[in-house]
């Protein structure tokens, strides 16, 4: 191989390396998004996912020292964003975007911290301020997880559970959203609707194809309905005022 050919090959390889886009780089902690909608409230978390990579244990070491303020992620701090007011473990969280931090402790409870300064590097934890939302959470032991993961493993009509799992530790917080429809009704307002109704289904010609009975009652502050004979899916269900 001549020297001129070797030089051309070296230049080509160098140019190829320089031209690689940033997105093609392999990261130690890949970027991830966790998104969940609950009754019209949009919850989004953006975080980088560190792996154990032989660093076991991770808590109580240089990865995450006891009593330090630590973001549950890597690179830029994990962010939590909601487009409506919610509560976390009963603590009001106004709509907005926050960076997420924990004060981790060797024994006892941890502190969950939401800071309105959302764009912050993970090695630059915030100091304590009145603008932060802080509350106590309870770490629990769980099966080993190599990659740090944020999830919402449980969902309800009005909320769910937000959970962080890494190594053998899980931290979770209860999420409550504001319902888009009000299911409760004062007893006095419900009284005119109570009773038994005849129900008929008609075809396009007006011929009756099915008849049944619809019963409306009042239970636990909610107007409820039931079909007779009982429907296999709609058993005893809430009636919601929409107009």
């Amino acid at each position: 191989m001549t020297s001129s050919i070797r030089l051309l090959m070296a230049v080509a390889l160098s140019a190829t390396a320089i031209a690689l886009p940033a997105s093609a780089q392999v990261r130690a902690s890949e970027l991830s998004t966790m998104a969940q909608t609950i009754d019209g409230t949009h919850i989004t978390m953006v975080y980088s996912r560190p792996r154990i990579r032989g660093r076991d244990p991770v808590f109580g070491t240089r990865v995450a020292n006891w009593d330090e303020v630590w973001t549950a992620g890597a690179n830029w701090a994990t962010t939590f964003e909601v487009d409506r007011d919610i509560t976390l473990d009963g603590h009001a969280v106004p709509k907005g975007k926050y960076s997420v931090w924990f004060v981790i402790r060797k024994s006892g409870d941890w502190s969950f911290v939401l800071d309105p300064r959302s764009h912050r590097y993970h090695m630059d934890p915030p100091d304590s301020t009145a603008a932060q939302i802080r509350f106590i959470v309870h770490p629990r032991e769980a099966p080993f997880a190599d990659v740090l993961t944020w999830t919402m493993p449980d969902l309800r009509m009005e909320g769910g559970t937000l959970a962080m799992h890494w190594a053998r530790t899980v931290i979770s917080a209860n999420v409550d959203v504001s319902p888009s429809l009000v299911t409760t009704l004062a007893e006095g307002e419900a009284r005119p609707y109570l009773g038994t109704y005849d129900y008929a289904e008609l075809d396009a010609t007006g011929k009756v194809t099915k008849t049944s009975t619809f019963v409306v009652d009042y239970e636990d502050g909610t107007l409820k309905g039931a079909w007779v004979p009982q429907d296999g899916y709609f058993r005893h269900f809430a009636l919601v005022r929409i107009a």
Side-chain angles (χ1 to χ4, degrees), residues 110-130:
W110 293 12
S111 295
F112 193 124
V113 182
L114 294 178
D115 193 295
R117 295 166 289 184
S118 61
H119 191 62
R120 201 172 185 98
Y121 195 60
H122 79 281
M123 294 183 68
D124 182 27
D127 53 350
S128 179
T129 72

Side-chain angles (χ1 to χ4, degrees), residues 88-118:
L88 279 176
D89 274 359
H91 299 268
V93 179
K95 68 177 182 179
K97 188 174 184 179
Y98 306 84
S99 57
V100 181
W101 308 86
F102 290 116
V103 180
I104 64 174
R105 300 181 178 91
K106 184 175 182 179
S107 59
D109 298 328
W110 293 12
S111 295
F112 193 124
V113 182
L114 294 178
D115 193 295
R117 295 166 289 184
S118 61

Side-chain angles (χ1 to χ4, degrees), residues 112-166:
F112 193 124
V113 182
L114 294 178
D115 193 295
R117 295 166 289 184
S118 61
H119 191 62
R120 201 172 185 98
Y121 195 60
H122 79 281
M123 294 183 68
D124 182 27
D127 53 350
S128 179
T129 72
Q132 293 173 343
I133 300 165
R134 306 172 69 97
F135 54 93
I136 295 300
V137 287
H138 314 289
R140 60 181 176 83
E141 191 172 348
F144 180 81
D146 180 66
V147 186
L148 189 149
T149 304
W150 282 94
T151 60
M152 292 202 69
D154 304 310
L155 292 177
R156 310 181 307 278
M157 288 181 59
E158 71 286 357
T161 302
L162 177 67
M164 186 283 298
H165 185 184
W166 197 29

